[in-house]
Amino acid sequence: AQSVTQLGSHVSVSEGALVLLRCNYSSSVPPYLFWYVQYPNQGLQLLLKYTSAATLVKGINGFEAEFKKSETSFHLTKPSAHMSDAAEYFCAVSVGSGGGADGLTFGKGTHLIIQP
Amino acid sequence: NAGVMQNPRHLVRRRGQEARLRCSPMKGHSHVYWYRQLPEEGLKFMVYLQKENIIDESGMPKERFSAEFPKEGPSILRIQQVVRGDSAAYFCASSPLQGSYEQYFGPGTRLTVT
């Protein structure tokens, strides 16, 4: 079985500062990894995904994440935070037994706060 | 191309009533997933369906919950005899038939049991 741990339920950064949201996964087989963002009272929007191609993955809104097998990590970063980045961020894993078409296992989420 | 549609967006039920949540996947998507988000918790996988088939229901509570995805029409998540603990946001996601690993989420249905 796979699992995801997101370190820090709340992260606060200043506008313009580096954003770093941590995600560690546990999986017995090579995983597929995802970051989603959720704005208040909305559904989840896919930011980026890792599916065993390049280990550095670029996503939307300036976010990127690096898959590090040795550290079982998939941390999300953005060089310069913007006020509109304030939201809940979820890391998720799938082991892709059905070609990726199976249920995702989510971390508990990190609430990103942007200080003006 | 319309996204994943869910209705109703908000649903209030009294204890003991039935709740029916509907999900229309994105056009061309035949895989549907249901997740539940409880307060202070992350999203939990409930069930994975394809047209007329339940593929994986390992996350579904054993009683009172059922799901279907008929040949025609939306996918339905049905909760019978609701209790206060069923109050949550229920999200539906869809993905294409093959060759894709991401799931596209709907806006959710927020169920409140009074």
Side-chain angles (χ1 to χ4, degrees):
Chain A
Q2 62 272 21
S3 66
V4 174
T5 301
Q6 290 185 241
L7 294 174
S9 59
H10 292 76
V11 170
S12 180
V13 302
S14 299
E15 190 176 15
L18 171 72
V19 175
L20 171 60
L21 304 183
R22 298 178 187 276
C23 172
N24 288 89
Y25 69 91
S26 171
S27 175
S28 58
V29 298
Y32 301 103
L33 294 158
F34 309 84
W35 275 100
Y36 284 86
V37 61
Q38 184 182 30
Y39 296 99
N41 298 315
Q42 294 188 26
L44 279 74
Q45 181 182 11
L46 180 68
L47 278 176
L48 49 78
K49 62 181 181 181
Y50 167 76
T51 56
S52 75
T55 56
L56 181 62
V57 181
K58 294 189 182 299
I60 62 171
N61 301 338
F63 285 94
E64 63 182 37
E66 186 172 8
F67 172 70
K68 291 187 177 180
K69 184 178 179 181
S70 60
E71 298 177 9
T72 61
S73 69
F74 190 57
H75 302 330
L76 182 71
T77 60
K78 181 174 180 177
S80 177
H82 192 272
M83 294 299 290
S84 61
D85 295 327
E88 192 83 15
Y89 290 79
F90 293 96
C91 181
V93 64
S94 165
V95 295
S97 58
D102 59 2
L104 297 172
T105 299
F106 283 88
K108 292 196 172 183
T110 297
H111 186 64
L112 178 62
I113 301 162
I114 310 296
Q115 306 278 6
Chain B
N1 186 11
V4 178
M5 310 282 283
Q6 288 187 251
N7 68 80
R9 293 291 307 276
H10 297 89
L11 182 61
V12 179
R13 286 287 178 267
R14 291 198 193 93
R15 279 179 297 171
Q17 290 185 321
E18 178 180 286
R20 284 190 178 228
L21 288 63
R22 295 175 185 77
C23 169
S24 297
M26 289 180 69
K27 187 177 180 181
H29 288 195
S30 61
H31 300 235
V32 167
Y33 310 80
W34 285 93
Y35 294 84
R36 177 165 65 175
Q37 186 176 35
L38 290 163
E40 305 303 320
E41 294 189 21
L43 288 93
K44 303 292 186 185
F45 166 76
M46 299 180 74
V47 62
Y48 161 40
L49 310 104
Q50 294 180 19
K51 288 280 187 181
E52 301 183 282
N53 280 305
I54 297 174
I55 306 302
D56 180 358
E57 57 182 346
S58 58
M60 285 277 270
K62 297 295 181 221
E63 298 178 348
R64 302 187 296 107
F65 285 72
S66 62
E68 63 177 7
F69 188 17
K71 186 177 180 181
E72 301 290 339
S75 175
I76 306 287
L77 179 67
R78 182 182 179 204
I79 311 172
Q80 295 179 290
Q81 299 176 322
V82 295
V83 301
R84 288 232 172 98
D86 297 332
S87 296
Y90 292 83
F91 290 95
C92 169
S94 72
S95 68
L97 177 60
Q98 285 181 345
S100 177
Y101 307 99
E102 63 264 37
Q103 297 176 16
Y104 297 88
F105 282 76
T109 294
R110 278 154 183 83
L111 172 66
T112 302
V113 179
T114 61

